[in-house]
Amino acid sequence: MARFLFWAVLLLTPFLAAADPTVLEVVPLKYRTAQEVIPLVQPFLDREGAVTGMQGQLIIRTTPANLAQIKQLLATIDTLPRRLRIIVRQDADRTEDALTGEISADVSGGNKARVIVPGSGDSRGLTVEGRRSDDVVRGRVLETQGRESERNTQEIQVLEGNQAFIRIGQSVPVQQRTVVQTPYGTRVVESTQFRDLSTGFYVLPRVNGERVILEISPQRETPGAQGPGSVNVQRLATTASGRLGEWIDLGGIVQDRTDQSSAIGSRTTGTAADRRRILVKVEEIR
């Protein structure tokens, strides 16, 4: 057994001597933090290597040859961060169309019969009338259209690799009624409270050459049309990429609605569309 171990050690000695020893070195950073740099360095470490660090320095344990490669990589990574202007545009377009057709009549059906369709009495729209003696038939067509567009644009400046947040808002009054039981009976107490509505975005940009990767979360709140206290909320959280200086479409919402109503002698058809888009553009400030 002793003779076997002797020959095993003798055979492994050249390989052990050829293996590079690992070294430990503290590498100071000039412009970047360790948290930014470590994820970029780790894929290039030898299998036995390791990297840690905090704030403005890295602690690297690896072979001398690999350490030299890592330092060359740091020379391209640890550079002055680029200043960026981030512009977020939140668009909303709403359309409403309604078409009403109506017939009213006052027509005799003989000596003892008469047919009367009164109509709504609305004089708007195109009206066509036909008369014969005391008999009258009217036809009316009314088309209404509504268009509303909103363009909300916000921008902020930030260094690449850093988080930024911007928000503006307003407080809207909300009327509330509370029923209170008192020794003298039930009372209704009216009060006014204020609700904060905000519009803004959070963003974290990372730049690689002429392309940018964004972690972005825009939101927009506006008063709703469903009554006091109602709010329209638009939120999005995503990771997107694109070229510097170009608009990046983050997504949107399209809602279409069709309504129909009928009565004696009339019919109304209405359509409504609500289209919303969120776009972002990143420009380098030189």
Side-chain angles (χ1 to χ4, degrees):
M1 178 63 68
R3 186 175 181 183
F4 173 78
L5 292 175
F6 171 77
W7 284 106
V9 171
L10 188 63
L11 290 171
L12 289 174
T13 299
F15 295 98
L16 294 174
D20 289 339
T22 59
V23 294
L24 183 68
E25 184 168 336
V26 177
V27 180
L29 299 173
K30 297 179 180 179
Y31 304 105
R32 309 286 179 161
T33 65
Q35 290 76 14
E36 293 179 78
V37 172
I38 288 176
L40 303 176
V41 168
Q42 282 177 331
F44 297 91
L45 281 173
D46 282 349
R47 188 167 53 185
E48 298 81 7
V51 58
T52 59
M54 58 189 305
Q55 296 182 351
Q57 62 183 17
L58 294 180
I59 303 174
I60 304 174
R61 180 179 59 81
T62 186
T63 62
N66 186 226
L67 180 61
Q69 295 174 348
I70 296 299
K71 287 183 176 180
Q72 290 180 355
L73 176 63
L74 287 174
T76 62
I77 296 176
D78 187 21
T79 57
L80 186 66
R82 297 155 80 172
R83 293 178 59 210
L84 305 174
R85 178 187 294 110
I86 300 176
I87 306 167
V88 173
R89 200 176 82 194
Q90 302 189 58
D91 297 345
D93 295 288
R94 287 178 288 273
T95 61
E96 292 186 1
D97 299 316
L99 180 63
T100 300
E102 179 183 83
I103 294 178
S104 59
D106 187 349
V107 180
S108 63
N111 295 329
K112 297 182 179 180
R114 196 165 191 85
V115 178
I116 299 175
V117 181
S120 64
D122 193 339
S123 60
R124 296 177 301 165
L126 175 64
T127 302
V128 179
E129 181 179 297
R131 286 179 176 271
R132 182 177 181 181
S133 185
D134 293 333
D135 298 337
V136 180
V137 177
R138 294 184 182 89
R140 185 175 68 90
V141 177
L142 173 64
E143 183 178 11
T144 58
Q145 296 181 336
R147 300 287 186 272
E148 185 179 353
S149 297
E150 296 181 27
R151 301 289 182 266
N152 184 282
T153 302
Q154 294 175 303
E155 67 175 70
I156 194 170
Q157 295 185 18
V158 63
L159 294 177
E160 63 168 309
N162 291 271
Q163 300 177 5
F165 178 73
I166 183 173
R167 180 174 64 184
I168 61 172
Q170 60 175 328
S171 294
V172 296
V174 179
Q175 301 293 330
Q176 292 189 339
R177 290 186 176 183
T178 306
V179 178
V180 180
Q181 298 292 337
T182 70
Y184 305 100
T186 302
R187 292 182 56 193
V188 177
V189 178
E190 295 187 354
S191 61
T192 302
Q193 295 186 353
F194 288 86
R195 177 165 184 173
D196 293 334
L197 305 181
S198 62
T199 297
F201 63 91
Y202 152 87
V203 66
L204 172 60
R206 296 184 176 92
V207 179
N208 182 10
E210 291 301 310
R211 296 193 64 83
V212 60
I213 299 176
L214 296 168
E215 294 179 19
I216 188 166
S217 183
Q219 74 169 37
R220 188 180 185 198
E221 297 175 340
T222 56
Q226 291 74 34
S230 64
V231 178
N232 297 324
V233 179
Q234 176 178 287
R235 286 196 181 102
L236 176 69
T238 187
T239 299
S241 65
R243 294 185 61 83
L244 290 172
E246 296 181 355
W247 286 105
I248 304 170
D249 195 338
L250 300 181
I253 300 173
V254 178
Q255 293 180 324
D256 295 312
R257 188 182 76 249
T258 300
D259 300 317
Q260 292 184 347
S261 61
S262 299
I264 297 176
S266 69
R267 181 181 181 86
T268 299
T269 301
T271 60
D274 189 350
R275 292 173 172 80
R276 299 171 181 268
R277 294 180 65 201
I278 303 176
L279 303 102
V280 61
K281 181 165 65 172
V282 182
E283 300 174 337
E284 183 177 1
I285 302 174
R286 301 182 183 276

PDB file of all heavy atoms in Angstrom, residues 1 8-9 22 42 67 96 99 113 117 133 135 142 144 150 178 189 193 203 211 215-216 229 240 253 256 260 280:
ATOM      1  N   MET A   1       0.835  -1.200   0.000  1.00  0.00           N
ATOM      2  CA  MET A   1       0.000   0.000   0.000  1.00  0.00           C
ATOM      3  C   MET A   1       0.872   1.252   0.000  1.00  0.00           C
ATOM      4  O   MET A   1       0.598   2.215  -0.704  1.00  0.00           O
ATOM      5  CB  MET A   1      -0.927  -0.023   1.208  1.00  0.00           C
ATOM      6  CG  MET A   1      -1.814   1.221   1.322  1.00  0.00           C
ATOM      7  SD  MET A   1      -2.966   1.424  -0.061  1.00  0.00           S
ATOM      8  CE  MET A   1      -4.053   0.029   0.251  1.00  0.00           C
ATOM      9  N   ALA A   8       1.545   7.101  -6.691  1.00  0.00           N
ATOM     10  CA  ALA A   8       0.430   8.008  -6.978  1.00  0.00           C
ATOM     11  C   ALA A   8       0.841   9.459  -6.766  1.00  0.00           C
ATOM     12  O   ALA A   8       0.544  10.336  -7.575  1.00  0.00           O
ATOM     13  CB  ALA A   8      -0.773   7.656  -6.103  1.00  0.00           C
ATOM     14  N   VAL A   9       1.543   9.733  -5.653  1.00  0.00           N
ATOM     15  CA  VAL A   9       2.011  11.099  -5.398  1.00  0.00           C
ATOM     16  C   VAL A   9       3.016  11.523  -6.445  1.00  0.00           C
ATOM     17  O   VAL A   9       3.035  12.661  -6.916  1.00  0.00           O
ATOM     18  CB  VAL A   9       2.608  11.196  -3.974  1.00  0.00           C
ATOM     19  CG1 VAL A   9       3.291  12.544  -3.772  1.00  0.00           C
ATOM     20  CG2 VAL A   9       1.525  10.980  -2.932  1.00  0.00           C
ATOM     21  N   THR A  22      -3.972  30.469  -6.734  1.00  0.00           N
ATOM     22  CA  THR A  22      -4.913  31.593  -6.728  1.00  0.00           C
ATOM     23  C   THR A  22      -4.342  32.734  -5.905  1.00  0.00           C
ATOM     24  O   THR A  22      -3.562  32.526  -4.973  1.00  0.00           O
ATOM     25  CB  THR A  22      -6.270  31.164  -6.144  1.00  0.00           C
ATOM     26  OG1 THR A  22      -6.077  30.696  -4.804  1.00  0.00           O
ATOM     27  CG2 THR A  22      -6.898  30.067  -6.990  1.00  0.00           C
ATOM     28  N   GLN A  42     -18.738  38.249 -12.896  1.00  0.00           N
ATOM     29  CA  GLN A  42     -18.852  36.835 -12.526  1.00  0.00           C
ATOM     30  C   GLN A  42     -18.793  35.863 -13.700  1.00  0.00           C
ATOM     31  O   GLN A  42     -18.134  34.822 -13.594  1.00  0.00           O
ATOM     32  CB  GLN A  42     -20.138  36.620 -11.722  1.00  0.00           C
ATOM     33  CG  GLN A  42     -20.007  37.076 -10.276  1.00  0.00           C
ATOM     34  CD  GLN A  42     -21.298  36.933  -9.502  1.00  0.00           C
ATOM     35  OE1 GLN A  42     -22.387  37.020 -10.076  1.00  0.00           O
ATOM     36  NE2 GLN A  42     -21.195  36.721  -8.194  1.00  0.00           N
ATOM     37  N   LEU A  67      -7.012  37.038 -13.328  1.00  0.00           N
ATOM     38  CA  LEU A  67      -7.093  38.368 -12.715  1.00  0.00           C
ATOM     39  C   LEU A  67      -6.724  39.449 -13.730  1.00  0.00           C
ATOM     40  O   LEU A  67      -7.352  40.523 -13.774  1.00  0.00           O
ATOM     41  CB  LEU A  67      -6.176  38.440 -11.494  1.00  0.00           C
ATOM     42  CG  LEU A  67      -6.157  39.774 -10.748  1.00  0.00           C
ATOM     43  CD1 LEU A  67      -7.545  40.117 -10.206  1.00  0.00           C
ATOM     44  CD2 LEU A  67      -5.116  39.757  -9.624  1.00  0.00           C
ATOM     45  N   GLU A  96     -66.769  58.909 -29.285  1.00  0.00           N
ATOM     46  CA  GLU A  96     -68.137  58.472 -29.059  1.00  0.00           C
ATOM     47  C   GLU A  96     -68.989  58.893 -30.264  1.00  0.00           C
ATOM     48  O   GLU A  96     -68.950  60.056 -30.673  1.00  0.00           O
ATOM     49  CB  GLU A  96     -68.714  59.085 -27.774  1.00  0.00           C
ATOM     50  CG  GLU A  96     -68.065  58.562 -26.502  1.00  0.00           C
ATOM     51  CD  GLU A  96     -68.756  59.082 -25.249  1.00  0.00           C
ATOM     52  OE1 GLU A  96     -69.752  59.831 -25.393  1.00  0.00           O
ATOM     53  OE2 GLU A  96     -68.308  58.745 -24.144  1.00  0.00           O
ATOM     54  N   LEU A  99     -76.092  57.374 -33.407  1.00  0.00           N
ATOM     55  CA  LEU A  99     -76.994  57.583 -34.546  1.00  0.00           C
ATOM     56  C   LEU A  99     -78.414  57.268 -34.093  1.00  0.00           C
ATOM     57  O   LEU A  99     -78.691  56.161 -33.617  1.00  0.00           O
ATOM     58  CB  LEU A  99     -76.599  56.689 -35.722  1.00  0.00           C
ATOM     59  CG  LEU A  99     -77.468  56.806 -36.974  1.00  0.00           C
ATOM     60  CD1 LEU A  99     -77.376  58.206 -37.574  1.00  0.00           C
ATOM     61  CD2 LEU A  99     -77.077  55.754 -38.002  1.00  0.00           C
ATOM     62  N   ALA A 113    -111.069  56.241 -36.111  1.00  0.00           N
ATOM     63  CA  ALA A 113    -109.737  55.743 -35.706  1.00  0.00           C
ATOM     64  C   ALA A 113    -108.659  56.764 -36.057  1.00  0.00           C
ATOM     65  O   ALA A 113    -108.772  57.482 -37.061  1.00  0.00           O
ATOM     66  CB  ALA A 113    -109.443  54.415 -36.394  1.00  0.00           C
ATOM     67  N   VAL A 117     -98.158  58.641 -33.238  1.00  0.00           N
ATOM     68  CA  VAL A 117     -96.817  58.316 -32.707  1.00  0.00           C
ATOM     69  C   VAL A 117     -96.172  59.643 -32.356  1.00  0.00           C
ATOM     70  O   VAL A 117     -95.768  60.402 -33.249  1.00  0.00           O
ATOM     71  CB  VAL A 117     -95.969  57.544 -33.743  1.00  0.00           C
ATOM     72  CG1 VAL A 117     -94.622  57.205 -33.151  1.00  0.00           C
ATOM     73  CG2 VAL A 117     -96.696  56.279 -34.199  1.00  0.00           C
ATOM     74  N   SER A 133    -103.631  66.630 -46.108  1.00  0.00           N
ATOM     75  CA  SER A 133    -104.780  67.092 -45.316  1.00  0.00           C
ATOM     76  C   SER A 133    -104.329  67.269 -43.878  1.00  0.00           C
ATOM     77  O   SER A 133    -103.360  67.977 -43.611  1.00  0.00           O
ATOM     78  CB  SER A 133    -105.940  66.090 -45.442  1.00  0.00           C
ATOM     79  OG  SER A 133    -107.093  66.606 -44.769  1.00  0.00           O
ATOM     80  N   ASP A 135    -103.202  64.792 -42.024  1.00  0.00           N
ATOM     81  CA  ASP A 135    -102.269  63.718 -41.681  1.00  0.00           C
ATOM     82  C   ASP A 135    -100.833  64.208 -41.837  1.00  0.00           C
ATOM     83  O   ASP A 135    -100.499  64.877 -42.828  1.00  0.00           O
ATOM     84  CB  ASP A 135    -102.487  62.504 -42.591  1.00  0.00           C
ATOM     85  CG  ASP A 135    -103.888  61.934 -42.424  1.00  0.00           C
ATOM     86  OD1 ASP A 135    -104.491  62.170 -41.357  1.00  0.00           O
ATOM     87  OD2 ASP A 135    -104.364  61.260 -43.359  1.00  0.00           O
ATOM     88  N   LEU A 142     -80.512  61.864 -36.491  1.00  0.00           N
ATOM     89  CA  LEU A 142     -79.544  62.678 -35.752  1.00  0.00           C
ATOM     90  C   LEU A 142     -78.273  61.866 -35.516  1.00  0.00           C
ATOM     91  O   LEU A 142     -78.340  60.750 -34.997  1.00  0.00           O
ATOM     92  CB  LEU A 142     -80.125  63.122 -34.404  1.00  0.00           C
ATOM     93  CG  LEU A 142     -79.150  63.842 -33.448  1.00  0.00           C
ATOM     94  CD1 LEU A 142     -78.685  65.160 -34.070  1.00  0.00           C
ATOM     95  CD2 LEU A 142     -79.794  64.066 -32.092  1.00  0.00           C
ATOM     96  N   THR A 144     -74.463  62.212 -33.746  1.00  0.00           N
ATOM     97  CA  THR A 144     -73.591  63.003 -32.868  1.00  0.00           C
ATOM     98  C   THR A 144     -72.233  62.305 -32.750  1.00  0.00           C
ATOM     99  O   THR A 144     -72.152  61.071 -32.751  1.00  0.00           O
ATOM    100  CB  THR A 144     -74.200  63.151 -31.463  1.00  0.00           C
ATOM    101  OG1 THR A 144     -74.417  61.859 -30.884  1.00  0.00           O
ATOM    102  CG2 THR A 144     -75.527  63.896 -31.531  1.00  0.00           C
ATOM    103  N   GLU A 150     -55.837  63.269 -25.049  1.00  0.00           N
ATOM    104  CA  GLU A 150     -54.972  63.748 -23.974  1.00  0.00           C
ATOM    105  C   GLU A 150     -53.546  63.308 -24.271  1.00  0.00           C
ATOM    106  O   GLU A 150     -53.305  62.171 -24.682  1.00  0.00           O
ATOM    107  CB  GLU A 150     -55.409  63.187 -22.623  1.00  0.00           C
ATOM    108  CG  GLU A 150     -56.788  63.645 -22.173  1.00  0.00           C
ATOM    109  CD  GLU A 150     -57.155  63.074 -20.815  1.00  0.00           C
ATOM    110  OE1 GLU A 150     -56.234  62.781 -20.031  1.00  0.00           O
ATOM    111  OE2 GLU A 150     -58.360  62.912 -20.551  1.00  0.00           O
ATOM    112  N   THR A 178     -72.596  60.099   5.722  1.00  0.00           N
ATOM    113  CA  THR A 178     -72.534  59.102   6.786  1.00  0.00           C
ATOM    114  C   THR A 178     -73.808  59.180   7.621  1.00  0.00           C
ATOM    115  O   THR A 178     -74.232  60.277   8.013  1.00  0.00           O
ATOM    116  CB  THR A 178     -71.314  59.333   7.696  1.00  0.00           C
ATOM    117  OG1 THR A 178     -70.131  59.387   6.886  1.00  0.00           O
ATOM    118  CG2 THR A 178     -71.173  58.214   8.716  1.00  0.00           C
ATOM    119  N   VAL A 189     -74.812  62.976   8.016  1.00  0.00           N
ATOM    120  CA  VAL A 189     -73.714  63.940   8.097  1.00  0.00           C
ATOM    121  C   VAL A 189     -72.967  63.940   6.771  1.00  0.00           C
ATOM    122  O   VAL A 189     -72.515  62.887   6.299  1.00  0.00           O
ATOM    123  CB  VAL A 189     -72.749  63.597   9.257  1.00  0.00           C
ATOM    124  CG1 VAL A 189     -71.596  64.587   9.297  1.00  0.00           C
ATOM    125  CG2 VAL A 189     -73.499  63.571  10.579  1.00  0.00           C
ATOM    126  N   GLN A 193     -63.858  64.886   1.766  1.00  0.00           N
ATOM    127  CA  GLN A 193     -62.508  64.372   1.893  1.00  0.00           C
ATOM    128  C   GLN A 193     -61.788  64.554   0.565  1.00  0.00           C
ATOM    129  O   GLN A 193     -62.427  64.694  -0.484  1.00  0.00           O
ATOM    130  CB  GLN A 193     -62.519  62.896   2.302  1.00  0.00           C
ATOM    131  CG  GLN A 193     -63.109  62.648   3.680  1.00  0.00           C
ATOM    132  CD  GLN A 193     -62.968  61.201   4.108  1.00  0.00           C
ATOM    133  OE1 GLN A 193     -62.544  60.354   3.327  1.00  0.00           O
ATOM    134  NE2 GLN A 193     -63.328  60.920   5.348  1.00  0.00           N
ATOM    135  N   VAL A 203     -38.015  54.391 -13.035  1.00  0.00           N
ATOM    136  CA  VAL A 203     -37.227  53.834 -14.132  1.00  0.00           C
ATOM    137  C   VAL A 203     -35.809  53.525 -13.661  1.00  0.00           C
ATOM    138  O   VAL A 203     -35.249  54.218 -12.812  1.00  0.00           O
ATOM    139  CB  VAL A 203     -37.197  54.806 -15.339  1.00  0.00           C
ATOM    140  CG1 VAL A 203     -36.454  56.088 -14.998  1.00  0.00           C
ATOM    141  CG2 VAL A 203     -36.600  54.149 -16.572  1.00  0.00           C
ATOM    142  N   ARG A 211     -27.759  50.908 -27.321  1.00  0.00           N
ATOM    143  CA  ARG A 211     -29.022  50.326 -26.883  1.00  0.00           C
ATOM    144  C   ARG A 211     -29.196  50.521 -25.377  1.00  0.00           C
ATOM    145  O   ARG A 211     -28.212  50.586 -24.635  1.00  0.00           O
ATOM    146  CB  ARG A 211     -29.106  48.830 -27.231  1.00  0.00           C
ATOM    147  CG  ARG A 211     -29.105  48.560 -28.730  1.00  0.00           C
ATOM    148  CD  ARG A 211     -29.491  47.133 -29.026  1.00  0.00           C
ATOM    149  NE  ARG A 211     -30.865  46.820 -28.630  1.00  0.00           N
ATOM    150  CZ  ARG A 211     -31.932  47.079 -29.363  1.00  0.00           C
ATOM    151  NH1 ARG A 211     -31.801  47.666 -30.548  1.00  0.00           N
ATOM    152  NH2 ARG A 211     -33.139  46.767 -28.929  1.00  0.00           N
ATOM    153  N   GLU A 215     -35.923  49.096 -16.864  1.00  0.00           N
ATOM    154  CA  GLU A 215     -36.944  48.592 -15.947  1.00  0.00           C
ATOM    155  C   GLU A 215     -37.819  49.799 -15.615  1.00  0.00           C
ATOM    156  O   GLU A 215     -37.346  50.756 -15.001  1.00  0.00           O
ATOM    157  CB  GLU A 215     -36.312  48.016 -14.676  1.00  0.00           C
ATOM    158  CG  GLU A 215     -35.477  46.777 -14.906  1.00  0.00           C
ATOM    159  CD  GLU A 215     -34.856  46.268 -13.623  1.00  0.00           C
ATOM    160  OE1 GLU A 215     -35.348  46.642 -12.534  1.00  0.00           O
ATOM    161  OE2 GLU A 215     -33.875  45.513 -13.705  1.00  0.00           O
ATOM    162  N   ILE A 216     -39.068  49.769 -16.036  1.00  0.00           N
ATOM    163  CA  ILE A 216     -39.887  50.970 -15.962  1.00  0.00           C
ATOM    164  C   ILE A 216     -41.286  50.624 -15.482  1.00  0.00           C
ATOM    165  O   ILE A 216     -41.823  49.547 -15.797  1.00  0.00           O
ATOM    166  CB  ILE A 216     -39.928  51.688 -17.333  1.00  0.00           C
ATOM    167  CG1 ILE A 216     -40.626  53.037 -17.212  1.00  0.00           C
ATOM    168  CG2 ILE A 216     -40.545  50.817 -18.409  1.00  0.00           C
ATOM    169  CD1 ILE A 216     -40.413  53.931 -18.414  1.00  0.00           C
ATOM    170  N   GLY A 229     -65.750  60.400  -6.598  1.00  0.00           N
ATOM    171  CA  GLY A 229     -64.856  59.423  -5.990  1.00  0.00           C
ATOM    172  C   GLY A 229     -64.332  58.373  -6.938  1.00  0.00           C
ATOM    173  O   GLY A 229     -63.404  57.634  -6.582  1.00  0.00           O
ATOM    174  N   ALA A 240     -38.103  46.787 -20.917  1.00  0.00           N
ATOM    175  CA  ALA A 240     -38.107  47.028 -22.358  1.00  0.00           C
ATOM    176  C   ALA A 240     -36.710  47.427 -22.813  1.00  0.00           C
ATOM    177  O   ALA A 240     -35.877  47.865 -22.008  1.00  0.00           O
ATOM    178  CB  ALA A 240     -39.105  48.131 -22.717  1.00  0.00           C
ATOM    179  N   ILE A 253     -53.915  49.947 -24.251  1.00  0.00           N
ATOM    180  CA  ILE A 253     -55.224  49.340 -24.011  1.00  0.00           C
ATOM    181  C   ILE A 253     -56.189  49.868 -25.070  1.00  0.00           C
ATOM    182  O   ILE A 253     -56.196  51.062 -25.376  1.00  0.00           O
ATOM    183  CB  ILE A 253     -55.757  49.688 -22.601  1.00  0.00           C
ATOM    184  CG1 ILE A 253     -54.793  49.172 -21.523  1.00  0.00           C
ATOM    185  CG2 ILE A 253     -57.138  49.103 -22.387  1.00  0.00           C
ATOM    186  CD1 ILE A 253     -55.165  49.628 -20.130  1.00  0.00           C
ATOM    187  N   ASP A 256     -63.554  48.911 -26.780  1.00  0.00           N
ATOM    188  CA  ASP A 256     -64.643  49.290 -27.684  1.00  0.00           C
ATOM    189  C   ASP A 256     -65.978  48.869 -27.056  1.00  0.00           C
ATOM    190  O   ASP A 256     -66.080  47.786 -26.452  1.00  0.00           O
ATOM    191  CB  ASP A 256     -64.478  48.631 -29.053  1.00  0.00           C
ATOM    192  CG  ASP A 256     -63.240  49.128 -29.781  1.00  0.00           C
ATOM    193  OD1 ASP A 256     -63.039  50.350 -29.838  1.00  0.00           O
ATOM    194  OD2 ASP A 256     -62.464  48.285 -30.258  1.00  0.00           O
ATOM    195  N   GLN A 260     -77.233  49.811 -27.907  1.00  0.00           N
ATOM    196  CA  GLN A 260     -78.427  49.979 -28.724  1.00  0.00           C
ATOM    197  C   GLN A 260     -79.640  50.129 -27.820  1.00  0.00           C
ATOM    198  O   GLN A 260     -79.752  49.445 -26.796  1.00  0.00           O
ATOM    199  CB  GLN A 260     -78.640  48.779 -29.661  1.00  0.00           C
ATOM    200  CG  GLN A 260     -77.593  48.659 -30.755  1.00  0.00           C
ATOM    201  CD  GLN A 260     -77.895  47.512 -31.708  1.00  0.00           C
ATOM    202  OE1 GLN A 260     -78.733  46.662 -31.429  1.00  0.00           O
ATOM    203  NE2 GLN A 260     -77.217  47.514 -32.850  1.00  0.00           N
ATOM    204  N   VAL A 280     -41.856  55.525 -24.427  1.00  0.00           N
ATOM    205  CA  VAL A 280     -40.714  56.078 -23.705  1.00  0.00           C
ATOM    206  C   VAL A 280     -39.567  56.271 -24.694  1.00  0.00           C
ATOM    207  O   VAL A 280     -39.400  55.517 -25.660  1.00  0.00           O
ATOM    208  CB  VAL A 280     -40.282  55.126 -22.554  1.00  0.00           C
ATOM    209  CG1 VAL A 280     -39.871  53.763 -23.084  1.00  0.00           C
ATOM    210  CG2 VAL A 280     -39.155  55.749 -21.742  1.00  0.00           C
TER     211      VAL A 280
END
